Amino acid sequence: MRFRILADGDEESLVDLQSWLAADPGAARLEVATVTGRGPTMGVLEALDVILGNAVDVANFTLAYVAWRSVKRDERPGPAGDETGVHRLVHGNSTVSIGHLGADELADLLRRLNDTDTAGADE
């Protein structure tokens, strides 16, 4: 299953997430590619494309993302629950906010998206 995590103007957090995933023992083997667009002076990082191949990948991404998000929230000044700009997941024509989802909810969402991909491939 392929999906995209959007920067939503928070390129620094997206770079940080990419580094976090690469350093996480479970998520390091996931396929993560950068998506850039045109900026005023050079390419601007807009998103990360993530490919998950199986249930273990779903679990590894989920745990790494939720841990990263928790650390980022603790580091950010401002009201409790302040989100990074990296909280929207795009899959096909659907965009879902994942910044508020717990690990179980995010894993369930990713499994359902993967099941939808798998069902579509069988047709």
Side-chain angles (χ1 to χ4, degrees), residues 117-123:
D117 280 357
T118 304
D122 293 340
E123 295 174 359

Side-chain angles (χ1 to χ4, degrees), residues 16-89:
D16 189 63
L17 174 58
Q18 183 181 25
S19 295
W20 184 280
L21 293 172
D24 182 272
R29 66 183 202 84
L30 301 177
E31 289 186 54
V32 178
T34 58
V35 179
T36 57
R38 292 187 179 261
T41 57
M42 66 174 120
V44 175
L45 183 60
E46 294 181 347
L48 296 177
D49 276 344
V50 181
I51 298 175
L52 305 179
N54 56 45
V56 172
D57 289 350
V58 168
N60 287 333
F61 173 81
T62 298
L63 292 174
Y65 176 81
V66 170
W68 171 82
R69 187 184 64 203
S70 177
V71 168
K72 289 286 118 188
R73 282 186 179 153
D74 290 346
E75 291 176 353
R76 287 182 99 86
D82 200 16
E83 289 187 346
T84 70
V86 182
H87 60 87
R88 287 193 310 140
L89 179 147

Side-chain angles (χ1 to χ4, degrees), residues 87-107:
H87 60 87
R88 287 193 310 140
L89 179 147
V90 177
H91 179 263
N93 294 326
S94 299
T95 302
V96 180
S97 177
I98 60 172
H100 64 287
L101 298 178
D104 290 342
E105 295 167 312
L106 179 56

